Amino acid sequence: MLFDDYFGVFFLLTFAYLIGSLPTAFFAVYFIKGSSGIRSGKIAGAYSVKNTIGLIPSLFVFLMDFFKGFLPIITATYMFSAEITMILTLSLLLIIGHNWSIFLKLSGGRGIAISLGTLLGLHLWQEVTILVILFGLIGKYIIHKDSALWVFWGIMVLPALLLFFERGLSFVIFGICLGFLLFVKRLFGDGKILDIRHCNWRVLTSRVVWDRDIVSKEQWRKKSG
């Protein structure tokens, strides 16, 4: 068995990270616009693809990132009969690879699409359905249109949902670790360093909740542009 020796485990964990690291957004922009599209900005996820080459390619990238998380977990579950601890570890490594890709000098996307893929690969349909309806549909399209806020609440609520549906301690720990990874990505992005000496809690809070340095999305776009 692949999981009966340390080399096999190391190989699988490394392979999961490399699969997660595949820069689908980078490939999409390079295929459509060439090097000029890549030079125009940092291309790491579906959102950056939307800003660079449009909505349809960004949806394609979102699906590719989704299956980048879904298919490896399904394969490890049914083809290799991996134990749940191993599968959960693979899920986290897929997300780490996407967020800090070795092919993009440890930069990457925010990890939302690939996280959804891993969650469905883990058969967490009830949790994902509640998150999508409550935050993706009702929250974004009825209460407030800023998706960054609802991603924040989704990350916060996931461990509670895993506990509510009695998935077990390993899944709850997985949910907490997943939230930690996504929050770290929001805090530091691809090199945004916090000024710890001055404890800029306003910026820190804004990054965690709104995924930007200031609350106003319009002002942030002007500042970033």
Side-chain angles (χ1 to χ4, degrees):
M1 282 291 292
L2 181 62
F3 304 101
D4 291 340
D5 61 271
Y6 291 113
F7 177 79
V9 171
F10 176 78
F11 171 80
L12 196 64
L13 295 178
T14 303
F15 187 69
Y17 172 77
L18 293 176
I19 289 294
S21 291
L22 291 175
T24 51
F26 181 92
F27 290 149
V29 174
Y30 189 84
F31 178 77
I32 294 176
K33 295 196 70 173
S35 58
S36 61
I38 300 300
R39 287 196 298 266
S40 64
K42 188 167 289 186
I43 308 299
Y47 183 77
S48 56
V49 171
K50 178 183 177 182
N51 292 336
T52 305
I53 54 178
L55 177 62
I56 300 303
S58 73
L59 292 176
F60 173 77
V61 169
F62 185 91
L63 287 175
M64 290 296 293
D65 287 339
F66 172 87
F67 283 109
K68 201 167 63 172
F70 180 79
L71 292 178
I73 298 305
I74 290 295
T75 302
T77 301
Y78 292 103
M79 290 188 64
F80 298 111
S81 301
E83 294 182 354
I84 190 61
T85 302
M86 173 62 70
I87 294 174
L88 294 175
T89 304
L90 292 175
S91 300
L92 293 175
L93 280 169
L94 286 166
I95 297 165
I96 290 172
H98 178 82
N99 286 8
W100 296 277
S101 171
I102 193 173
F103 303 114
L104 297 176
K105 299 179 181 179
L106 299 183
S107 64
R110 288 303 196 253
I112 305 305
I114 193 170
S115 295
L116 285 175
T118 59
L119 292 177
L120 290 182
L122 293 166
H123 300 293
L124 302 177
W125 295 91
Q126 294 165 299
E127 289 85 345
V128 171
T129 300
I130 290 175
L131 292 177
V132 169
I133 293 176
L134 188 61
F135 301 129
L137 297 178
I138 296 176
K140 179 179 168 104
Y141 293 101
I142 297 178
I143 301 176
H144 194 286
K145 291 185 178 181
D146 198 323
S147 58
L149 173 65
W150 302 113
V151 170
F152 164 78
W153 282 113
I155 296 171
M156 292 290 290
V157 169
L158 178 60
L161 289 176
L162 293 170
L163 188 63
F164 176 80
F165 287 110
E166 299 181 345
R167 300 294 185 180
L169 180 61
S170 58
F171 275 91
V172 175
I173 294 174
F174 163 77
I176 294 172
C177 291
L178 173 60
F180 174 77
L181 290 176
L182 298 183
F183 281 147
V184 167
K185 186 64 180 183
R186 284 184 169 219
L187 277 173
F188 297 101
D190 294 321
K192 297 183 295 183
I193 305 300
L194 292 172
D195 190 351
I196 302 297
R197 294 172 302 174
H198 296 87
C199 291
N200 197 337
W201 297 109
R202 181 176 296 179
V203 173
L204 185 149
T205 303
S206 185
R207 287 185 181 183
V208 171
V209 177
W210 300 98
D211 198 16
R212 50 184 179 264
D213 287 2
I214 55 178
V215 175
S216 173
K217 192 172 186 178
E218 290 73 19
Q219 292 182 20
W220 179 243
R221 283 176 175 174
K222 293 179 181 178
K223 184 177 179 180
S224 302

